[in-house]
Amino acid sequence: MRRSAIERLLPAAYQRACVPGSVLWALLDVMEHLHAPDEAILAEVDALFDPYRAPEHLVVRLTRWVAMDHVVASPRPDAPLPLPVGRLRDLVANGALLARWRGTPYGLRRALELASGSTGFVIDEPTERPFHIVVRVPASAAGQLAVLTRIVEAEKPASTTVDIVVEEESS
């Protein structure tokens, strides 16, 4: 807050007494300098909530805001992230879309694609097994099977059983 803006908040008698060289003038200058760092943060506060501009350490917290914290769930707080931060940013940015499509084949496929960075996931619903799905994981995402399994368990309908099958790499 500028010194002049602070001065306008003072009672009229103080405003009249605030002249260059006075103690009050100097005090208002100090107040202006004390407010400067906080105002700089507040000017950029929207960056803290933008998944692509937020500092890396806040991206994990943002996953909680969009109900994708199961992706980063870890038994130990010092454990490394299961995904690169860029993929977590993508998940957070698409959080509203994923919430809208949660429990559907499209929503599950989209969450798996965003988390793995791969395409080619296939969701089958065998007619001979009601309330069961088969998730076919492309070979390119096989190395991320643990986190993909967590996503499938959280994103599938609660009443559905699931088999996760890693596809053979085609030659």
Side-chain angles (χ1 to χ4, degrees):
M1 184 175 255
R2 295 263 185 237
R3 188 200 55 73
S4 58
I6 299 170
E7 184 180 339
R8 284 193 301 272
L9 298 173
L10 297 174
Y14 286 102
Q15 288 181 23
R16 287 190 299 272
C18 189
V19 293
S22 71
V23 174
L24 186 55
W25 184 273
L27 182 62
L28 294 182
D29 280 341
V30 169
M31 288 177 74
E32 177 180 346
H33 291 291
L34 288 174
H35 287 164
D38 294 336
E39 288 184 359
I41 291 170
L42 290 174
E44 296 292 322
V45 76
D46 60 323
L48 297 175
F49 306 104
D50 181 331
Y52 294 111
R53 296 184 347 191
E56 285 188 18
H57 67 277
L58 288 181
V59 175
V60 172
R61 298 217 187 269
L62 292 177
T63 61
R64 292 187 185 121
W65 283 19
V66 296
M68 292 303 291
D69 51 326
H70 54 275
V71 174
V72 294
S74 166
R76 295 186 355 249
D78 61 336
L81 291 175
L83 297 174
V85 174
R87 295 222 185 98
L88 288 177
R89 291 179 191 278
D90 291 340
L91 282 169
V92 171
N94 287 276
L97 172 90
L98 295 173
R100 187 175 346 159
W101 290 98
R102 178 167 270 160
T104 67
Y106 172 78
L108 179 56
R109 186 173 27 262
R110 189 71 184 124
L112 293 170
E113 289 172 350
L114 288 167
S116 68
S118 298
T119 58
F121 291 89
V122 177
I123 315 291
D124 291 328
E125 298 180 52
T127 55
E128 66 277 0
R129 285 187 73 184
F131 304 106
H132 183 79
I133 60 173
V134 177
V135 177
R136 300 191 187 285
V137 177
S140 59
Q144 301 168 319
L145 199 55
V147 71
L148 296 177
T149 300
R150 277 202 311 269
I151 292 170
V152 169
E153 289 297 330
E155 299 293 319
K156 71 174 183 62
S159 61
T160 305
T161 58
V162 64
D163 287 327
I164 300 174
V165 178
V166 178
E167 294 292 309
E168 298 284 325
E169 196 163 340
S170 58
S171 302

